[in-house]
Amino acid sequence: MVRGASSVLLKPKTTEEVSAILSYCNQHKLAVCPQGGNTGLVGGSVPVFDEVIISMALMNQVESVDSWSGVVVCQSGCVLEALDQHVAEHGLMVPLDLGAKGSCHIGGNVSTNAGGLRLLRYGSLHGSVLGVEAVLASGEVIDCLSTMKKDNTGYDLKHLFIGSEGTLGIVTKLAINCPPRPTAVNLAFLGLQSFDDVLQTFRDAKSKLGEILSSCEFIDRSSLECVEENLKLKSPIEPHPYYMLIETSGSNGDHDEEKLNTFLEYVMTSGQVTDGTVATEPSRIQHIWSLRERIAESLIADGYTYKYDISIPLPHFYKMVEDMREHLGSSIIRCCGYGHIGDGNLHLNITSKEYEKEILSRIEPTIFEWTARVKGSISAEHGLGFKKRNYIHFSKSDGAIGLMKQMKKIMDPNGILNPYKVLPDN
Ligand code: 2HG
Ligand code: ZN
């Protein structure tokens, strides 16, 4: 759906090279498209016309790891998984994990404020990123690369570069607060009969698992069928209308197991959960995670996917999938819902054999109106990029959008940074 026509791709190795490129492009009014691992889902990292692509792939050096504070300083082109392996040598973990970890860049994660599978436990990147170095459109390098957990001096400018998708500056370096790597991890895969049971089980997981709860994910039957049919992955339990993945992470295996068993006994005795399995060995944990992480990939095999990433208050969470399914009837192959239920983040995906304008017009703007009615967000974690920018009004006030446009003018007066992204046409 998104495809550019660029003839130039530059791969800087240093901040100074990024600065020289931007300074030149700004003088000549040449548009640029910053690109990380190119795994985004809203077209933010893809040029629209013939923008100069600035790939951060060669800026992949880790500068330092402070094992006292847990702070890592690195260039923005580090691949998330490689960075995580690097900090693992110091007993730390990157507080972000997502299916695209093998190719996405940490700079892209920060620029899009990616959420992922453990936001529930570690919070958003607005909290974990302590410092950012970024290059403005003019080529000026802005050093906000604090490594302190507390730095209350003036406006916290780093936040402007977190989630602004390369429209205000190009992120070149980062300081990230990494928590200790857990030594005991358990993953439960549960089958449930109703969505009310899912909500109740989430509430019980929070209260009974407390500080060891590290992830709470949701999959509906249609999503699981998709990974089973299209990728031939095997579910560890019999078919159920709803599934949950509940992960615990801590430092004491016996303590965590005891807590998890008490929780599981409770939800099974009460009948909220009708089947389940627990994995403790890394290979089984990985297999179960792949059932969740690879849903997005499995949908591709259906043909065309209409993708939505929505924040919804929990009582309305699954109603949206049911309403859309009914609304679209037999014109589609699949309408499925999965996602980060612990964060109220639904991934609603609809597939058809081929792209059909008629189907799209039945989904949009209905889905955004529905979301705005329950005061949700039309983009929970994927950003606006190219595909969602003109729907920003459903989630932000005119005043807020006006201020965003003024900020863009101040920081990129010639509009060379990632044009046609994030901000709406009107
Ligand atoms: C996930 O959580 C990703 O798997 C992708 O955010 C979601 O493709 C999607 O809809
Ligand atoms: Zn997600």
Side-chain angles (χ1 to χ4, degrees), residues 415-426:
I416 64 159
L417 285 171
N418 223 5
Y420 323 104
K421 312 286 170 61
V422 181
L423 295 174
D425 285 328
N426 304 303

Side-chain angles (χ1 to χ4, degrees), residues 206-260:
K206 280 194 290 185
S207 67
K208 297 208 177 329
L209 298 172
E211 81 293 350
I212 62 166
L213 177 64
S214 52
S215 191
C216 184
E217 293 286 313
F218 166 77
I219 304 177
D220 71 0
R221 186 200 297 238
S222 173
S223 307
L224 194 75
E225 276 170 3
C226 192
V227 260
E228 288 181 303
E229 286 161 19
N230 293 350
L231 299 181
K232 308 286 170 234
L233 298 186
K234 284 231 161 343
S235 165
I237 62 173
E238 290 301 303
H240 276 70
Y242 306 96
Y243 306 90
M244 289 176 87
L245 271 85
I246 293 185
E247 187 194 70
T248 65
S249 308
S251 57
N252 181 330
D254 294 341
H255 164 269
D256 293 4
E257 240 167 76
E258 194 183 318
K259 262 181 138 170
L260 182 60

Side-chain angles (χ1 to χ4, degrees), residues 292 340 345 347 381-382:
R292 163 64 187 85
H340 319 289
N345 180 181
H347 292 311
E381 62 169 3
H382 294 166

Side-chain angles (χ1 to χ4, degrees), residues 12 36 52 74 109 116 144 162 176 203 205 220 240 266 292 300-302 312 352 376 393 400 410 416 421:
V52 172
C74 63
N109 299 145
C144 294
I162 304 175
I176 301 170
R203 196 169 13 202
D220 71 0
H240 276 70
Y266 179 83
R292 163 64 187 85
I300 297 169
D302 274 4
I312 316 191
S352 61
H393 303 94
I410 293 172
I416 64 159
K421 312 286 170 61

Side-chain angles (χ1 to χ4, degrees), residues 105 118 123 156 187-188 221 229 265 304 316 334-335 356 361 363 376 379 386 420:
H105 292 184
R118 302 216 170 70
D156 202 343
L187 181 63
R221 186 200 297 238
E229 286 161 19
E265 213 174 286
Y304 186 84
H316 303 283
R334 197 187 306 269
C335 173
E356 279 183 53
S361 66
I363 305 173
S379 181
F386 177 69
Y420 323 104

Side-chain angles (χ1 to χ4, degrees), residues 259-380:
K259 262 181 138 170
L260 182 60
N261 287 339
T262 310
F263 160 74
L264 290 173
E265 213 174 286
Y266 179 83
V267 290
M268 295 197 89
T269 315
S270 68
Q272 281 159 232
V273 170
T274 45
D275 198 2
T277 179
V278 176
T280 45
E281 324 87 75
S283 64
R284 258 201 98 218
I285 290 180
Q286 210 180 336
H287 170 74
I288 293 178
W289 265 123
S290 66
L291 293 168
R292 163 64 187 85
E293 291 184 16
R294 297 184 68 190
I295 299 171
E297 175 194 343
S298 71
L299 288 158
I300 297 169
D302 274 4
Y304 186 84
T305 315
Y306 310 80
K307 304 188 73 67
Y308 300 92
D309 163 42
I310 285 174
S311 270
I312 316 191
L314 289 177
H316 303 283
F317 194 89
Y318 202 68
K319 182 88 176 76
M320 164 166 265
V321 183
E322 290 169 336
D323 281 6
M324 280 318 281
R325 204 174 266 154
E326 196 186 320
H327 175 66
L328 295 168
S330 59
S331 60
I332 54 156
I333 298 177
R334 197 187 306 269
C335 173
C336 66
Y338 59 99
H340 319 289
I341 193 158
D343 312 316
N345 180 181
L346 171 71
H347 292 311
L348 174 73
N349 281 258
I350 296 157
T351 60
S352 61
K353 207 157 184 316
E354 289 162 354
Y355 169 69
E356 279 183 53
K357 225 171 147 193
E358 156 73 16
I359 295 179
L360 187 66
S361 66
R362 295 185 67 191
I363 305 173
E364 299 178 12
T366 308
I367 192 161
F368 302 127
E369 288 161 359
W370 203 111
T371 306
R373 246 191 336 268
V374 296
K375 298 200 170 18
S377 168
I378 62 130
S379 181

